Amino acid sequence: MKERLIGFLLFMSALVSIASLAVITFFIFEAGLPLIFRVGIGNFLQNSIWQPSGKTPQFGIAAMILGSVWVTLGAIMIGVPLGLAVAIFSAELAPPWLAAVIRPVLQLLAGIPSVIYGFIGLTILAPVVRAAFGGPGLSVVTAALILGIMILPSIVSISEDALRAVPRAYRDGALAVGATQWQTIWRVLVPAARSGIVASIILGMGRALGETMAVIMMLGNALQVPRSPLDSATTLTSNIGLELAYASGQHREALFATGVVLFVLIMILNLLANVFTGRLVLWRSRAPSLSTMRTLWRNRVPASDRRSS
Amino acid sequence: MNRQLSQRFAFGLLWSAASATIIILAIIVMFIMVQGLPYVNLAFLTGGPIAQGREGGILPAILGTFALGALSLIIAVPLGVGAAVFLTEYTRPSPLTTIMRFGTDSLAGVPSIIFGLFGFIFFVTRLNLGWSLLAGGLTIALMVLPTLIRTAEEAIRAVPVAYREVSYGLGASRWQMVRTVVLPNALPGIVTGIILSFGRAVGETAAVIFTAGTALNIPTSVLSPTRTMAVHFYILAVEGISLPKAYATGAVLIATILVINVVANLLITRGVARAVRR
């Protein structure tokens, strides 16, 4: 009896995450969807005028969507090359003592609060950008540079896992046919770890797209469509973060509607990442999977035995 | 280009990327510490703020931070460890566990501002908890749940199967086996997850500001609103209340995160050492 009760309680706690995901989805959509339907999806997404409290209020989030896209792509341009390089370095090149330094460094980078990153962007990087390239300093470039560093830990950890999961035989085989270590890495290991690396990029995009406080501090929060990387802008997240505290009525609904758009984008990215890591199987192919074939190959009868039998 | 030469060039780039990462971390930590530590003293740590934080200390924010972290862990740890035990010991892979894992993975990817929106509309407004430690704690509990589940699962899976077999062999029931064999042996890993989750609660801003509020009082009950150090730092810096106090708060915040990470790492290395000794 006690055993069964405990089993049931454990089962219930395992259900909590999927249940809370459902509840979160429900409440965000319930609070945001009515406004989207009233304004019209097309108008909501394509109108770049956001005047939530005017006499004829306008709710268009096009400027914020573009701001989010610019900043996210910028962050990817910084974070992916750097992250992939660090992942390759830790998986293949780093002497053990250095790998033992890099791991906690990345862990700490992941642990530093986003407000600290935003503050660094605001006080150190923005003046540098202003002095070097002109413009307001609080700009897409500034935000992208800092966000690129913020997403580094997730990109490195997933890519590194993928690189380490490449079977030894691939590496040995490439080296045995005379490839240099770098050719082995670039032509064999990286392509073999491709799906994990793609997943890490997608998750990095999700991180950058979802970041709020740091972006508020670095992007200048100008309600405009950015024309150049040196312009100030605003994003889906930063607009919610700035206005939720005082918004009411339709205005608050519009912020939840913005949240709906953000949530949908993030869930699409999550799904894609899950497909790429193979954690979520959408369809099962009839052909034996690569891992099955690998197992078959590994358990094959050695040639010497075959001849004798 | 000669292939030896291109290898040299590529390895040079990899080395610089790795060094750049370490240097960036050093710059961030040093900058805040050098600017902030001179303003940190006992009065700052144990005093209340004066004039919105322009003068005085940050005691309410320190207490608020620890109270919020503790409350969210009290809620999340039993659920997270329970979920991990269920997924590892009580079930086989099935469509249901796939759905559960999908829920955990997706929850981990939900950005904090969405948690903020949800906590605000659900805990603060719908359940009428107001801006309070409890609303904030519940929200953060959901945020840290995936980390807790994953670390606990890993720790539990690392417990050798033979231990379980011995326990069953002695006639233990499944729960007796979990309680006396699996959980004690997985404890270092589970504690690491708890500490890292605490770090997440300490550093979080977007979700906290809309659920726990920004009140600068020492919280007296789970229903009092509070302001964490991260939120205090944000308000001081963005509203331009006091830059020295912002730096000082930032220094305390970074120091807290450093301590949390060092402790978590010590536990990880200990766990590894133990696994090797086996």
Side-chain angles (χ1 to χ4, degrees):
Chain A
M1 189 55 214
K2 188 188 166 203
E3 284 290 317
R4 290 194 120 184
L5 179 67
I6 287 169
F8 179 72
L9 287 178
L10 295 176
F11 171 70
M12 292 307 279
S13 32
L15 273 182
V16 167
S17 24
I18 185 75
S20 40
L21 187 69
V23 175
I24 291 172
T25 315
F26 176 79
F27 276 94
I28 303 275
F29 277 63
E30 193 209 18
L33 272 190
L35 183 119
I36 295 186
F37 288 135
R38 260 200 322 272
V39 179
I41 296 182
N43 185 19
F44 188 64
L45 295 179
Q46 288 165 11
N47 183 356
S48 61
I49 300 168
W50 174 267
Q51 279 169 350
S53 48
K55 214 168 216 154
T56 46
Q58 295 244 40
F59 301 103
I61 58 167
M64 299 157 207
I65 293 181
L66 285 173
S68 282
V69 169
W70 277 61
V71 169
T72 304
L73 290 183
I76 290 296
M77 279 164 59
I78 308 293
V80 168
L82 193 57
L84 190 55
V86 175
I88 294 174
F89 183 80
S90 336
E92 295 296 323
L93 279 190
W97 66 268
L98 192 51
V101 173
I102 292 178
R103 208 164 303 122
V105 162
L106 288 166
Q107 204 185 356
L108 204 50
L109 276 177
I112 288 180
S114 53
V115 280
I116 299 276
Y117 280 106
F119 187 69
I120 298 283
L122 174 76
T123 50
I124 301 186
L125 196 57
V128 173
V129 169
R130 183 165 48 226
F133 306 108
L138 296 172
S139 59
V140 173
V141 192
T142 313
L145 280 165
I146 298 285
L147 275 176
I149 294 160
M150 292 177 73
I151 63 174
L152 200 60
S154 7
I155 293 182
V156 175
S157 90
I158 300 167
S159 310
E160 193 186 334
D161 283 350
L163 285 167
R164 284 188 194 279
V166 176
R168 261 213 85 79
Y170 285 35
R171 191 173 299 119
D172 297 345
L175 292 172
V177 296
T180 61
Q181 200 183 349
W182 171 244
Q183 284 172 324
T184 307
I185 292 170
W186 194 244
R187 304 258 178 89
V188 177
L189 299 186
V190 170
R194 193 176 42 215
S195 60
I197 292 171
V198 173
S200 80
I201 296 172
I202 296 173
L203 283 177
M205 285 176 78
R207 280 280 139 78
L209 186 63
E211 179 49 48
T212 309
M213 304 321 270
V215 176
I216 290 180
M217 296 168 91
M218 297 184 292
L219 198 54
N221 307 314
L223 262 170
Q224 61 184 17
V225 177
R227 302 267 166 231
S228 104
L230 295 172
D231 280 352
S232 290
T234 190
T235 64
L236 295 167
T237 52
S238 58
N239 193 58
I240 299 173
L242 280 169
E243 298 186 352
L244 183 63
Y246 63 85
S248 61
Q250 277 212 66
H251 185 185
R252 184 187 288 178
E253 274 185 80
L255 294 179
F256 275 90
T258 314
V260 168
V261 174
L262 177 69
F263 192 76
V264 169
L265 290 175
I266 295 278
M267 287 313 278
I268 292 174
L269 290 178
N270 279 345
L271 272 173
L272 279 177
N274 272 304
V275 170
F276 273 104
T277 46
R279 285 177 78 100
L280 186 74
V281 181
L282 287 182
W283 61 90
R284 231 174 261 289
S285 69
R286 282 171 195 281
S289 71
L290 192 60
S291 64
T292 324
M293 291 183 11
R294 226 174 268 148
T295 320
L296 287 173
W297 173 248
R298 225 174 275 143
N299 298 338
R300 72 199 181 282
V301 181
S304 51
D305 293 8
R306 242 180 283 154
R307 232 170 280 134
S308 65
S309 63
Chain B
M1 193 160 37
N2 173 320
R3 59 199 203 114
Q4 299 303 346
L5 208 66
S6 69
Q7 163 152 324
R8 278 230 180 131
F9 179 70
F11 282 9
L13 283 180
L14 294 183
W15 272 91
S16 22
S19 337
T21 309
I22 298 173
I23 292 168
I24 288 167
L25 177 75
I27 290 177
I28 295 173
V29 172
M30 295 300 285
F31 177 73
I32 301 282
M33 285 304 191
V34 167
Q35 301 276 348
L37 277 184
Y39 302 104
V40 178
N41 50 35
L42 200 63
F44 181 75
L45 294 174
T46 58
I50 300 161
Q52 297 306 309
R54 190 165 288 120
E55 298 294 328
I58 56 164
L59 183 65
I62 295 177
L63 293 176
T65 307
F66 281 86
L68 186 76
L71 186 60
S72 56
L73 287 176
I74 290 171
I75 301 164
V77 169
L79 293 174
V81 176
V85 169
F86 180 80
L87 288 171
T88 48
E89 305 291 330
Y90 277 73
T91 184
R92 294 170 180 286
S94 71
L96 184 67
T97 57
T98 309
I99 293 173
M100 287 169 167
R101 272 176 219 287
F102 170 73
T104 312
D105 286 349
S106 306
L107 207 58
V110 171
S112 52
I113 188 73
I114 296 282
F115 280 103
L117 280 173
F118 167 71
F120 178 69
I121 195 90
F122 187 65
F123 296 127
V124 175
T125 314
R126 199 61 68 94
L127 297 186
N128 216 3
L129 296 174
W131 280 316
S132 60
L133 265 179
L134 187 57
L138 285 164
T139 310
I140 301 296
L142 295 184
M143 282 185 70
V144 298
L145 199 55
T147 317
L148 284 168
I149 296 179
R150 274 189 206 156
T151 43
E153 252 195 279
E154 260 174 51
I156 290 172
R157 280 189 206 286
V159 177
V161 181
Y163 287 28
R164 296 182 175 90
E165 285 163 353
V166 166
S167 177
Y168 280 139
L170 291 169
S173 70
R174 194 191 294 240
W175 173 244
Q176 282 174 328
M177 186 276 289
V178 168
R179 192 167 50 89
T180 57
V181 174
V182 171
L183 289 181
N185 280 292
L187 198 63
I190 295 175
V191 173
T192 309
I194 294 176
I195 294 171
L196 290 177
S197 303
F198 189 77
R200 185 102 189 266
V202 170
E204 183 49 45
T205 313
V208 173
I209 205 166
F210 300 119
T211 53
T214 56
L216 256 177
N217 309 320
I218 294 179
T220 50
S221 87
V222 288
L223 289 176
S224 12
T226 192
R227 179 191 285 196
T228 65
M229 282 191 276
V231 173
H232 189 56
F233 172 80
Y234 170 75
I235 291 175
L236 289 182
V238 167
E239 295 184 0
I241 292 174
S242 161
L243 213 49
K245 294 291 179 193
Y247 278 119
T249 312
V252 178
L253 191 55
I254 294 245
T256 314
I257 297 287
L258 275 173
V259 170
I260 288 171
N261 274 276
V262 168
V263 172
N265 265 311
L266 282 178
L267 276 168
I268 293 172
T269 1
R270 271 258 197 85
V272 171
R274 260 177 63 182
V276 170
R277 268 210 307 279
R278 273 180 202 134

mmCIF file of all heavy atoms in Angstrom, chain B residues 182-204:
data_model
loop_
_atom_site.group_PDB
_atom_site.id
_atom_site.type_symbol
_atom_site.label_atom_id
_atom_site.label_comp_id
_atom_site.label_asym_id
_atom_site.label_seq_id
_atom_site.Cartn_x
_atom_site.Cartn_y
_atom_site.Cartn_z
ATOM 1 N N VAL B 182 19.943 4.036 -3.447
ATOM 2 C CA VAL B 182 20.101 4.937 -4.594
ATOM 3 C C VAL B 182 20.302 6.384 -4.147
ATOM 4 O O VAL B 182 21.286 7.032 -4.523
ATOM 5 C CB VAL B 182 18.878 4.827 -5.529
ATOM 6 C CG1 VAL B 182 18.923 5.907 -6.583
ATOM 7 C CG2 VAL B 182 18.860 3.459 -6.186
ATOM 8 N N LEU B 183 19.385 6.890 -3.326
ATOM 9 C CA LEU B 183 19.461 8.311 -2.971
ATOM 10 C C LEU B 183 20.739 8.668 -2.204
ATOM 11 O O LEU B 183 21.391 9.649 -2.551
ATOM 12 C CB LEU B 183 18.211 8.740 -2.197
ATOM 13 C CG LEU B 183 16.946 8.812 -3.066
ATOM 14 C CD1 LEU B 183 15.743 9.279 -2.254
ATOM 15 C CD2 LEU B 183 17.144 9.730 -4.272
ATOM 16 N N PRO B 184 21.140 7.891 -1.177
ATOM 17 C CA PRO B 184 22.393 8.262 -0.492
ATOM 18 C C PRO B 184 23.593 8.292 -1.429
ATOM 19 O O PRO B 184 24.431 9.177 -1.337
ATOM 20 C CB PRO B 184 22.557 7.163 0.566
ATOM 21 C CG PRO B 184 21.189 6.652 0.802
ATOM 22 C CD PRO B 184 20.478 6.762 -0.512
ATOM 23 N N ASN B 185 23.659 7.340 -2.355
ATOM 24 C CA ASN B 185 24.803 7.301 -3.265
ATOM 25 C C ASN B 185 24.747 8.395 -4.328
ATOM 26 O O ASN B 185 25.771 8.798 -4.861
ATOM 27 C CB ASN B 185 24.901 5.933 -3.934
ATOM 28 C CG ASN B 185 25.553 4.909 -3.024
ATOM 29 O OD1 ASN B 185 26.729 5.003 -2.734
ATOM 30 N ND2 ASN B 185 24.756 3.965 -2.534
ATOM 31 N N ALA B 186 23.534 8.840 -4.653
ATOM 32 C CA ALA B 186 23.401 9.881 -5.672
ATOM 33 C C ALA B 186 23.464 11.273 -5.050
ATOM 34 O O ALA B 186 23.417 12.274 -5.760
ATOM 35 C CB ALA B 186 22.083 9.698 -6.423
ATOM 36 N N LEU B 187 23.588 11.317 -3.715
ATOM 37 C CA LEU B 187 23.459 12.595 -3.017
ATOM 38 C C LEU B 187 24.398 13.699 -3.510
ATOM 39 O O LEU B 187 23.936 14.819 -3.768
ATOM 40 C CB LEU B 187 23.623 12.388 -1.503
ATOM 41 C CG LEU B 187 23.088 13.549 -0.661
ATOM 42 C CD1 LEU B 187 21.597 13.707 -0.863
ATOM 43 C CD2 LEU B 187 23.395 13.343 0.806
ATOM 44 N N PRO B 188 25.709 13.429 -3.703
ATOM 45 C CA PRO B 188 26.586 14.524 -4.149
ATOM 46 C C PRO B 188 26.101 15.163 -5.454
ATOM 47 O O PRO B 188 26.058 16.383 -5.578
ATOM 48 C CB PRO B 188 27.942 13.848 -4.354
ATOM 49 C CG PRO B 188 27.893 12.614 -3.539
ATOM 50 C CD PRO B 188 26.462 12.180 -3.501
ATOM 51 N N GLY B 189 25.684 14.326 -6.402
ATOM 52 C CA GLY B 189 25.181 14.844 -7.682
ATOM 53 C C GLY B 189 23.920 15.652 -7.497
ATOM 54 O O GLY B 189 23.743 16.722 -8.092
ATOM 55 N N ILE B 190 23.024 15.147 -6.651
ATOM 56 C CA ILE B 190 21.771 15.861 -6.412
ATOM 57 C C ILE B 190 22.047 17.215 -5.769
ATOM 58 O O ILE B 190 21.483 18.231 -6.159
ATOM 59 C CB ILE B 190 20.832 14.999 -5.527
ATOM 60 C CG1 ILE B 190 20.432 13.726 -6.289
ATOM 61 C CG2 ILE B 190 19.604 15.786 -5.130
ATOM 62 C CD1 ILE B 190 19.607 12.753 -5.478
ATOM 63 N N VAL B 191 22.977 17.221 -4.790
ATOM 64 C CA VAL B 191 23.298 18.481 -4.107
ATOM 65 C C VAL B 191 23.920 19.475 -5.089
ATOM 66 O O VAL B 191 23.625 20.670 -5.059
ATOM 67 C CB VAL B 191 24.232 18.223 -2.905
ATOM 68 C CG1 VAL B 191 24.699 19.537 -2.302
ATOM 69 C CG2 VAL B 191 23.510 17.396 -1.857
ATOM 70 N N THR B 192 24.759 18.979 -6.010
ATOM 71 C CA THR B 192 25.323 19.867 -7.028
ATOM 72 C C THR B 192 24.210 20.549 -7.805
ATOM 73 O O THR B 192 24.242 21.764 -8.040
ATOM 74 C CB THR B 192 26.214 19.071 -8.006
ATOM 75 O OG1 THR B 192 27.135 18.301 -7.247
ATOM 76 C CG2 THR B 192 26.961 19.994 -8.928
ATOM 77 N N GLY B 193 23.215 19.772 -8.217
ATOM 78 C CA GLY B 193 22.080 20.336 -8.948
ATOM 79 C C GLY B 193 21.348 21.378 -8.123
ATOM 80 O O GLY B 193 20.949 22.427 -8.630
ATOM 81 N N ILE B 194 21.185 21.093 -6.830
ATOM 82 C CA ILE B 194 20.493 22.033 -5.949
ATOM 83 C C ILE B 194 21.262 23.344 -5.864
ATOM 84 O O ILE B 194 20.686 24.434 -5.960
ATOM 85 C CB ILE B 194 20.314 21.406 -4.546
ATOM 86 C CG1 ILE B 194 19.371 20.201 -4.633
ATOM 87 C CG2 ILE B 194 19.777 22.430 -3.563
ATOM 88 C CD1 ILE B 194 19.188 19.452 -3.332
ATOM 89 N N ILE B 195 22.598 23.233 -5.721
ATOM 90 C CA ILE B 195 23.403 24.446 -5.598
ATOM 91 C C ILE B 195 23.352 25.272 -6.887
ATOM 92 O O ILE B 195 23.189 26.490 -6.856
ATOM 93 C CB ILE B 195 24.860 24.082 -5.234
ATOM 94 C CG1 ILE B 195 24.878 23.467 -3.839
ATOM 95 C CG2 ILE B 195 25.755 25.299 -5.279
ATOM 96 C CD1 ILE B 195 26.207 22.879 -3.466
ATOM 97 N N LEU B 196 23.453 24.588 -8.033
ATOM 98 C CA LEU B 196 23.393 25.310 -9.307
ATOM 99 C C LEU B 196 22.019 25.978 -9.484
ATOM 100 O O LEU B 196 21.920 27.095 -9.995
ATOM 101 C CB LEU B 196 23.683 24.368 -10.470
ATOM 102 C CG LEU B 196 25.129 23.882 -10.555
ATOM 103 C CD1 LEU B 196 25.303 22.895 -11.696
ATOM 104 C CD2 LEU B 196 26.093 25.056 -10.725
ATOM 105 N N SER B 197 20.968 25.296 -9.043
ATOM 106 C CA SER B 197 19.630 25.887 -9.124
ATOM 107 C C SER B 197 19.523 27.118 -8.244
ATOM 108 O O SER B 197 18.897 28.116 -8.610
ATOM 109 C CB SER B 197 18.565 24.878 -8.698
ATOM 110 O OG SER B 197 18.658 23.728 -9.483
ATOM 111 N N PHE B 198 20.158 27.046 -7.086
ATOM 112 C CA PHE B 198 20.156 28.201 -6.199
ATOM 113 C C PHE B 198 20.825 29.384 -6.904
ATOM 114 O O PHE B 198 20.348 30.522 -6.843
ATOM 115 C CB PHE B 198 20.887 27.862 -4.895
ATOM 116 C CG PHE B 198 20.745 28.920 -3.841
ATOM 117 C CD1 PHE B 198 19.585 29.035 -3.116
ATOM 118 C CD2 PHE B 198 21.776 29.804 -3.595
ATOM 119 C CE1 PHE B 198 19.442 30.021 -2.159
ATOM 120 C CE2 PHE B 198 21.653 30.787 -2.642
ATOM 121 C CZ PHE B 198 20.481 30.900 -1.917
ATOM 122 N N GLY B 199 21.916 29.086 -7.619
ATOM 123 C CA GLY B 199 22.601 30.128 -8.376
ATOM 124 C C GLY B 199 21.687 30.774 -9.406
ATOM 125 O O GLY B 199 21.699 31.981 -9.603
ATOM 126 N N ARG B 200 20.883 29.940 -10.032
ATOM 127 C CA ARG B 200 19.932 30.461 -11.026
ATOM 128 C C ARG B 200 18.940 31.416 -10.364
ATOM 129 O O ARG B 200 18.628 32.475 -10.909
ATOM 130 C CB ARG B 200 19.210 29.266 -11.633
ATOM 131 C CG ARG B 200 18.281 29.537 -12.753
ATOM 132 C CD ARG B 200 18.886 29.192 -14.095
ATOM 133 N NE ARG B 200 18.018 29.661 -15.162
ATOM 134 C CZ ARG B 200 17.091 28.895 -15.753
ATOM 135 N NH1 ARG B 200 16.958 27.645 -15.390
ATOM 136 N NH2 ARG B 200 16.328 29.392 -16.705
ATOM 137 N N ALA B 201 18.458 31.051 -9.175
ATOM 138 C CA ALA B 201 17.511 31.900 -8.463
ATOM 139 C C ALA B 201 18.175 33.217 -8.073
ATOM 140 O O ALA B 201 17.560 34.280 -8.135
ATOM 141 C CB ALA B 201 16.984 31.180 -7.219
ATOM 142 N N VAL B 202 19.462 33.152 -7.674
ATOM 143 C CA VAL B 202 20.173 34.362 -7.269
ATOM 144 C C VAL B 202 20.342 35.314 -8.451
ATOM 145 O O VAL B 202 20.186 36.519 -8.334
ATOM 146 C CB VAL B 202 21.565 34.000 -6.689
ATOM 147 C CG1 VAL B 202 22.409 35.244 -6.491
ATOM 148 C CG2 VAL B 202 21.409 33.259 -5.374
ATOM 149 N N GLY B 203 20.629 34.768 -9.631
ATOM 150 C CA GLY B 203 20.935 35.610 -10.771
ATOM 151 C C GLY B 203 19.727 36.082 -11.556
ATOM 152 O O GLY B 203 19.828 36.967 -12.392
ATOM 153 N N GLU B 204 18.578 35.481 -11.314
ATOM 154 C CA GLU B 204 17.408 35.760 -12.123
ATOM 155 C C GLU B 204 16.844 37.159 -11.863
ATOM 156 O O GLU B 204 16.835 37.626 -10.741
ATOM 157 C CB GLU B 204 16.337 34.698 -11.850
ATOM 158 C CG GLU B 204 15.101 34.821 -12.683
ATOM 159 C CD GLU B 204 15.402 34.987 -14.157
ATOM 160 O OE1 GLU B 204 16.254 34.262 -14.675
ATOM 161 O OE2 GLU B 204 14.794 35.868 -14.776
#
